[in-house]
């Protein structure tokens, strides 16, 4: 038996059939760590910055929410989902870094890990895009799943 759920018996890609799975409450939280640098962070006031493109964190949060809803359009084997809620929180954690937490909730037959990871990533990339006129030395350092609940197994990383 193949260990990969998205590969069929002929070793070809497939989308997992979730039709027989039970609908359960599912939740996933992902984190992205972004190196902004002192030059960018020094421009922040009240935990946000406004550039010629607009308010950075507010715009990035909206972009992250849009990304969560579009995950199945971006990642081929992800199922389109009716998302119950998305919460994205951005914090400047020191004089050079920001952290993005993206939590996604659903009542469904499949998990929302990929949606949380996509939301955190696109939020970080939007911050980069909006701040690149100040510095292009920013680095998206890490994106990872922190936890997921619901479905076959829970995970806490």
């Amino acid at each position: 038996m193949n260990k990969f759920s998205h590969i069929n018996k002929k070793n070809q890609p497939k989308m997992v059939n979730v039709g027989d799975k039970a609908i359960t409450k599912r939740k996933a939280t992902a984190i992205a760590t972004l190196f902004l640098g002192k030059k960018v962070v020094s421009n922040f006031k009240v935990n946000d910055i406004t550039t010629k493109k607009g308010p950075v964190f507010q715009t990035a949060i909206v972009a992250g929410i849009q990304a969560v809803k579009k995950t199945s359009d971006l990642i081929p084997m992800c199922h389109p989902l009716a998302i119950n809620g998305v919460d994205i929180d951005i914090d400047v954690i020191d004089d050079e870094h920001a952290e993005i937490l993206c939590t996604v909730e659903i009542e469904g037959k499949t998990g929302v890990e990929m949606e949380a990871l996509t939301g955190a990533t696109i939020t970080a990339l939007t911050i980069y895009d909006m701040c690149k006129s100040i510095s292009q030395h920013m680095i998206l350092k890490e994106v990872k799943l922190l936890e997921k609940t619901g479905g076959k197994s829970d995970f806490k990383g």
Side-chain angles (χ1 to χ4, degrees), residues 49-70:
I49 180 176
T50 300
T51 67
K52 291 179 183 179
K53 293 183 177 187
V56 174
F57 285 1
Q58 291 180 31
T59 303
I61 288 169
V62 171
I65 292 168
Q66 287 179 314
V68 166
K69 297 189 301 183
K70 293 289 189 180

Side-chain angles (χ1 to χ4, degrees), residues 42-97:
S42 69
N43 287 280
F44 281 72
K45 294 177 178 73
V46 193
N47 209 28
D48 202 349
I49 180 176
T50 300
T51 67
K52 291 179 183 179
K53 293 183 177 187
V56 174
F57 285 1
Q58 291 180 31
T59 303
I61 288 169
V62 171
I65 292 168
Q66 287 179 314
V68 166
K69 297 189 301 183
K70 293 289 189 180
T71 300
S72 67
D73 291 337
L74 301 169
I75 302 174
M77 301 307 169
C78 287
H79 291 81
L81 302 175
I83 303 294
N84 286 355
V86 179
D87 186 17
I88 298 176
D89 188 42
I90 306 170
D91 283 309
V92 175
I93 58 170
D94 61 31
D95 62 352
E96 295 186 316
H97 295 87

